[in-house]
Amino acid sequence: MATPRTESFEAIVIGGGLVGAAIAWGLCRQGLATVLLDEGDIAYRASRGNFGLVWVQSKGLGAPWYQRWTRASAGEWPRLAADLAERTATDVGLQQPGGVHLCLSEPEFEARAERMAQMQREAGNTPYEYRMIRAPELRDMLPGLGADVVGASFTPYDGHANPLRLLHALHRAFTEAGGVYVPEAKVEEGAAAPHDFAVLAAGRRFAAPRLVLAAGLGNAELAPCFGLAAPVRPQRGQVLVTERAAEILPMPITTIRQTQEGSLMIGDSIEEVGFDLRQTPPVMQAIADRAVRSFPWIGDLSIVRAWSALRVMAPDGLPIYDQSARFPGAYTANCHSGVTLAGAHALLLAPMIAQGVLDPMLDPFTAGRFDVRAAS
Ligand SMILES: Cc1cc2nc3c(=O)[nH]c(=O)nc-3n(C[C@H](O)[C@H](O)[C@H](O)COP(=O)(O)OP(=O)(O)OC[C@H]3O[C@@H](n4cnc5c(N)ncnc54)[C@H](O)[C@@H]3O)c2cc1C
């Protein structure tokens, strides 16, 4: 078969989920001619099955650089949401009223208090505000709290958004700014030289001096072709959604949030089951039980939807960002908090990629921290 003619760009992004779309949009915003290639509906897509938190409070225990990156992203989120609203007329539903993590027993409360204190110590000079709140005060903040709740941690940094609208708005902003989106385009092979990359997908050949691997779980296979490593694995999470309820929850909780439309999202399990997307009644029951113990009135609501999706998880749970040492210009971006980190990916990481240098603040996120070798 004849080689297709080469379509040249300034950047190729592989993967049209939240991570790839945020970076592609960010590159476009920097004025780079960018093509975004996405495998399509048969791929695993965490971006279409997540919980929608813009969550800061528990990120980075023992890894304060991750807390700083997450905080930076939460700080960029209002700018991202405003920019997307202006360019696409899409309200991505951002609310950042702070958030709470509920504790249903004294040992849970004590462990949480210790964790929060450690996070604050590790934050060093960066302020890390939090409060441990006992049930009587919490009852005034969260109507209908259950008798089993003994307290909670609160930070002012947390929030939530509508992740599907975010994905849609990123894609729309990207294409309206001249970005080229190619769906049903699985990348299976590529050629790499420093600042010179070519990939084949959907019968077409794309070339650019920059290449970003943002293919979620697909990165594990792609990375070695470009002198990178992305040792990510799937981790299943199951989510339940109730019918709409009167507005009642003024802020998101780690496992319960009320959407702008009124539904309650209840989540989300953490299961090491490989690429298994089944939903399992015992896990759904455990999720529902905890929600009803937290807020007994939830028991009166019908569940209208439920699903499972696979997180993109590194061995230590932190993101992986890298530029290939062998093929400079090739980057990889992997994380299990693609909603939370959308602000950083679009407005901080993309400009670094456009300039060709990752900021030293990202040094701790290289895959070199694992026992992996980037293949040639
Ligand atoms: C149950 C659950 C709850 C979650 N809750 C939250 C939350 O509250 N807050 C938060 O911040 N994050 C949350 N997350 C995580 C968040 O959803 C992910 O971090 C994010 O979606 C990852 O985005 P991604 O673009 O890396 O991956 P994906 O969404 O998986 O997208 C990868 C894309 O790459 C494409 N692709 C794969 N291989 C190739 C290839 N070879 N060629 C071309 N394209 C390819 C696929 O088609 C896919 O569209 C949750 C995840 C789950 C599963």
Side-chain angles (χ1 to χ4, degrees):
M1 204 171 70
T3 312
R5 81 180 167 82
T6 300
E7 300 174 50
S8 296
F9 291 86
E10 289 170 292
I12 298 168
V13 178
I14 303 178
L18 281 171
V19 174
I23 294 172
W25 157 232
L27 292 174
C28 240
R29 235 175 148 263
Q30 295 292 305
L32 294 189
T34 303
V35 62
L36 177 59
L37 308 173
D38 189 64
E39 177 176 355
D41 280 344
I42 54 161
Y44 298 103
R45 293 165 132 181
S47 301
R48 290 159 197 248
N50 66 68
F51 200 61
L53 294 176
V54 178
W55 203 249
V56 174
Q57 68 168 276
S58 39
K59 302 286 172 62
L61 183 75
W65 51 92
Y66 182 33
Q67 170 64 209
R68 283 195 288 278
W69 182 238
T70 304
R71 282 279 289 287
S73 191
E76 292 293 342
W77 245 100
R79 192 156 69 101
L80 176 69
D83 200 12
L84 292 174
E86 193 186 316
R87 291 169 193 258
T88 69
T90 306
D91 173 7
V92 298
L94 175 67
Q95 293 179 5
Q96 292 176 299
V100 295
H101 176 91
L102 298 181
C103 304
L104 300 192
S105 68
E106 275 305 321
E108 261 187 44
F109 187 83
E110 279 157 29
R112 190 70 184 175
E114 255 174 54
R115 181 188 176 101
M116 299 304 277
Q118 186 181 334
M119 300 270 293
Q120 190 176 57
R121 279 195 304 277
E122 289 173 353
N125 294 332
T126 318
Y128 178 79
E129 281 177 49
Y130 78 94
R131 284 199 321 122
M132 295 304 299
I133 304 175
R134 283 291 181 178
E137 184 184 345
L138 210 51
R139 271 177 230 298
D140 292 336
M141 292 167 63
L142 302 171
L145 202 64
D148 286 355
V149 179
V150 304
S153 59
F154 167 87
T155 73
Y157 314 115
D158 300 309
H160 56 152
N162 181 322
L164 293 179
R165 279 204 225 146
L166 170 65
L167 185 60
H168 169 73
L170 288 168
H171 273 261
R172 199 158 156 202
F174 172 72
T175 49
E176 284 185 5
V180 175
Y181 173 56
V182 188
E184 310 299 328
K186 180 172 186 182
V187 176
E188 280 172 295
E189 44 179 313
H195 304 292
D196 184 10
F197 303 95
V199 297
L200 285 172
R204 294 161 67 177
R205 184 172 193 272
F206 304 91
R210 294 174 197 79
L211 174 82
V212 183
L213 304 182
L217 292 165
N219 270 353
E221 225 171 87
L222 283 174
C225 309
F226 301 96
L228 290 158
V232 287
R233 68 172 195 282
Q235 185 190 68
R236 189 170 71 190
Q238 301 189 43
V239 176
L240 310 178
V241 182
T242 73
E243 63 184 312
R244 293 176 183 190
E247 191 188 326
I248 200 157
L249 281 185
M251 65 183 65
I253 292 153
T254 326
T255 54
I256 306 169
R257 74 176 191 96
Q258 188 163 26
T259 66
Q260 271 184 321
E261 296 76 21
S263 299
L264 292 172
M265 290 187 62
I266 307 174
D268 46 353
S269 55
I270 295 176
E271 302 169 76
E272 299 295 343
V273 292
F275 287 89
D276 179 349
L277 265 173
R278 278 175 299 183
Q279 294 163 258
T280 53
V283 171
M284 293 161 84
Q285 192 174 20
I287 290 172
D289 277 350
R290 190 170 170 100
V292 172
R293 284 178 68 202
S294 302
F295 296 98
W297 51 267
I298 290 181
D300 295 332
L301 299 172
S302 302
I303 300 293
V304 295
R305 278 196 304 286
W307 64 75
S308 76
L310 300 178
R311 295 184 189 84
V312 180
M313 193 59 73
D316 60 1
L318 270 54
I320 302 172
Y321 304 112
D322 251 337
Q323 177 167 201
S324 169
R326 178 158 184 202
F327 304 120
Y331 299 84
T332 182
N334 315 260
C335 76
H336 77 85
S337 290
V339 184
T340 307
L341 294 176
H345 290 158
L347 301 177
L348 302 177
L349 179 61
M352 296 177 206
I353 292 172
Q355 284 174 14
V357 187
L358 296 184
D359 188 283
M361 81 184 287
L362 296 184
D363 286 353
F365 294 109
T366 164
R369 69 187 189 268
F370 306 118
D371 186 19
V372 289
R373 197 166 312 140
S376 55

